[in-house]
Amino acid sequence: MNSILLVDDEKKICEFVKAYLDKEGYNVDVAYNGKDCIAYLEIKKYSIIILDRMLPDISGEEICKFVRCEYIEPQVPIIMLTAKIEDEDRIEGFNLGCDDYICKPFNVKELVLRVKAVLKRTKFIEKKVLKFNDEIEIDTVSRSVKVRGKDVFLTNTEYKLLLMMASNPKRVFTREELLQKVVEDPCEKFDRVIDSHIKNLRQKIEVNSKDFKIVKTVYGVGYKFGI
């Protein structure tokens, strides 16, 4: 059974969302603040985290950093809840390491569909291990990535982008293709989101910030795997 950690300081929202998720068969834990959220994360593995950006004690941003750097499952998908609706705020959310973004007020049925979509993406496996010389290795079972022998922790979206391109190393992907295959939310389907994820991915896997070897830009078209 998939386990979900729901983090929001608005108890009525939590009760409403939990009721819907329970009905879908998910095992849901609820934290009303950042401290309780961290306490749950220190003792349990989750399939997905639904995280309010504005919490009374620890910000959603700080929790994202904790998950990506210290949690036992650093690639666990994170859906960020927020009252901020501007494009820059959404891009900032993705830069923090969240995998999807939904604005308040939201339709709880839509949130459930988002959860299903994210979980479906994280379960996608083509091959067990993709290895390219001694440069990069992708284990699709453990969803782990090694670059030059060292573990690299990627967000779910970064991992999906890398896996998609590495699975088709000779193919050039347009931004539109990557948006359609990686980003589920129609409201997030604009080029800058993909560019932001690619930038973050490169910072983690490339050696030279001025000469990209793994994820190459095909000017005027999009991106491709370069090894």
Side-chain angles (χ1 to χ4, degrees), residues 1-93:
M1 180 185 296
N2 287 308
S3 58
I4 298 175
L5 179 58
L6 172 61
V7 189
D8 197 306
D9 62 328
E10 298 184 58
K11 293 189 176 182
K12 289 186 178 179
I13 289 180
C14 288
E15 291 173 359
F16 193 48
V17 172
K18 186 179 187 304
Y20 269 83
L21 292 172
D22 286 342
K23 189 181 297 184
E24 293 292 329
Y26 297 114
N27 181 10
V28 184
D29 289 329
V30 178
Y32 299 112
N33 55 59
K35 182 179 178 181
D36 289 346
C37 171
I38 298 297
Y40 272 119
L41 293 173
E42 288 178 338
I43 61 174
K44 187 173 179 178
K45 293 182 181 180
Y46 289 95
S47 304
I48 192 168
I49 300 170
I50 302 172
L51 175 64
D52 185 17
R53 187 170 182 175
M54 303 295 289
L55 294 170
D57 52 352
I58 305 173
S59 69
E61 289 92 336
E62 290 302 316
I63 293 174
C64 273
K65 292 176 183 177
F66 172 85
V67 170
R68 297 307 178 213
C69 297
E70 300 183 44
Y71 186 42
I72 191 171
E73 294 288 347
Q75 295 177 358
V76 61
I78 298 173
I79 296 179
M80 185 81 81
L81 305 178
T82 182
K84 297 182 178 181
I85 61 174
E86 298 298 326
D87 287 347
E88 291 299 327
D89 295 316
R90 293 178 180 179
I91 291 172
E92 184 182 354

Side-chain angles (χ1 to χ4, degrees), residues 193-210:
V193 168
I194 289 298
D195 291 340
S196 178
H197 286 307
I198 291 291
K199 178 182 177 182
N200 292 338
L201 176 61
R202 282 171 164 169
Q203 288 176 345
K204 296 177 181 180
I205 66 176
E206 299 282 4
V207 174
N208 190 334
S209 62
K210 296 182 180 179

Side-chain angles (χ1 to χ4, degrees), residues 155-171:
T155 67
N156 182 58
T157 302
E158 292 163 0
Y159 172 82
K160 288 290 293 179
L161 283 170
L162 179 61
L163 178 60
M164 187 178 301
M165 290 185 284
S167 299
N168 302 272
K170 295 183 179 180
R171 179 177 171 183

Side-chain angles (χ1 to χ4, degrees), residues 135-149:
E135 190 72 14
I136 189 166
E137 180 179 312
I138 306 169
D139 187 326
T140 61
V141 176
S142 64
R143 300 180 64 83
S144 61
V145 176
K146 289 186 177 181
V147 179
R148 294 171 290 279

